Amino acid sequence: MNVTSSEFKISAVGPAQYPVDGLQEIALAGRSNVGKSSLINRLLRRKNLARTSSVPGKTQHMNYYLINQSFFFVDFPGYGFAKVSKQQREVWGQMIERYMLEREPLKLVLMVVDLRHPPSKDDVMMYEWLTHYDRPICVVTTKADKVPKTRWQKHAKVIKQDLGMRPGDPFVMFSSETDMGKEELWKIIEDHLGELKTLDQRAAEAEAEFEASGNAEDGVIEDETAE
């Protein structure tokens, strides 16, 4: 993917704030402090577009990032952080569940886990929920540079087994420090996005359709007048 533009667009807390332009969306889900912001920044070749923080649970909305004027990354609030109130976790859970079930532009969920550790109970629950509703998933393991190369496959095997991964779901080991997995992940994302159209292209097509429908109506009126 040749990223020519990227920008933060909106923080949404519910459907009323979701974009209505019809652009396709790639969602990112994972526990707090797993490295989603660093993953986004590395993929987009930006340093601080998605703000990283040493304070887990800081992301409290669904953050939309517009890429190449043609699709979105949607960064979910991190789950599993104890200092967030139970009520707030329930609000986040309801927001994410509704989005996952109802959001038509959603094409893929990047489920982000830490390669250094076995999946948490929240990770397992998220994966089971996504597979139950047959959402398209790619498991991305971050911080691969912090694990010795000789132990990569052992750690990957534990994560796949603990999640109960389906054979067809892609699995990518990623490092925001070395670019490991970057091209592989972009290929998976592109395969799920399919044909992309920018906002300007969509607007031009809509205008052309409107003009075509108007010309057709004018033709009907002229025929009726002639009769």
Side-chain angles (χ1 to χ4, degrees):
M1 173 70 71
N2 180 28
V3 178
T4 57
S5 67
S6 57
E7 61 181 298
F8 170 77
K9 202 66 177 176
I10 190 173
S11 286
V13 294
Q17 295 165 321
Y18 296 162
V20 294
D21 43 38
L23 296 183
Q24 300 176 77
E25 298 173 5
I26 303 294
L28 293 94
R31 67 174 181 79
S32 297
N33 223 23
V34 74
K36 290 189 284 95
S37 295
S38 296
L39 171 64
I40 291 171
N41 288 333
R42 197 66 175 188
L43 287 173
L44 303 181
R45 295 183 298 177
R46 297 284 297 273
K47 279 192 174 182
N48 295 304
L49 179 62
R51 295 301 180 92
T52 60
S53 174
S54 59
V55 181
K58 188 173 182 181
T59 300
Q60 299 186 12
H61 305 88
M62 295 169 63
N63 291 328
Y64 274 78
Y65 300 93
L66 178 62
I67 303 160
N68 290 352
Q69 294 292 308
S70 58
F71 68 98
F72 288 104
F73 278 165
V74 187
D75 186 16
F76 288 170
Y79 52 75
F81 182 49
K83 290 187 179 180
V84 175
S85 70
K86 181 180 179 181
Q87 181 180 5
Q88 185 64 60
R89 289 198 299 271
E90 290 176 352
V91 170
W92 290 353
Q94 292 169 4
M95 175 176 66
I96 292 171
E97 181 175 343
R98 185 172 181 183
Y99 171 90
M100 292 288 196
L101 289 176
E102 300 177 1
R103 189 65 175 161
E104 187 174 341
L106 175 64
K107 300 303 176 183
L108 176 67
V109 179
L110 303 182
M111 183 175 163
V112 186
V113 298
D114 190 330
L115 183 63
R116 298 173 300 176
H117 310 297
S120 67
K121 291 182 179 179
D122 290 314
D123 289 326
V124 174
M125 288 176 61
M126 173 62 77
Y127 186 82
E128 290 177 347
W129 190 91
L130 290 169
T131 55
H132 176 76
Y133 289 104
D134 201 27
R135 300 290 87 186
I137 312 168
C138 173
V139 175
V140 183
T141 59
T142 56
K143 307 182 182 182
D145 56 285
K146 300 184 184 301
V147 177
K149 186 176 181 179
T150 55
R151 299 182 66 84
W152 282 349
Q153 293 307 319
K154 180 179 180 180
H155 284 238
K157 182 179 179 180
V158 169
I159 290 172
K160 291 177 181 179
Q161 288 181 340
D162 287 3
L163 290 178
M165 279 191 67
R166 300 178 297 190
D169 288 338
F171 180 95
V172 177
M173 287 188 284
F174 190 90
S175 168
S176 296
E177 298 295 326
T178 68
D179 272 355
M180 175 185 176
K182 180 179 175 181
E183 296 304 320
E184 181 184 0
L185 183 53
W186 266 128
K187 178 64 169 60
I188 293 168
I189 292 171
E190 289 179 289
D191 288 345
H192 281 80
L193 287 172
E195 183 182 5
L196 292 173
K197 295 180 180 179
T198 66
L199 290 170
D200 289 343
Q201 288 172 326
R202 288 177 175 271
E205 289 180 356
E207 183 177 354
E209 290 178 3
F210 178 77
E211 290 178 354
S213 63
N215 292 335
E217 290 178 3
D218 290 343
V220 171
I221 293 174
E222 288 177 2
D223 290 343
E224 291 177 349
T225 303
E227 292 176 0

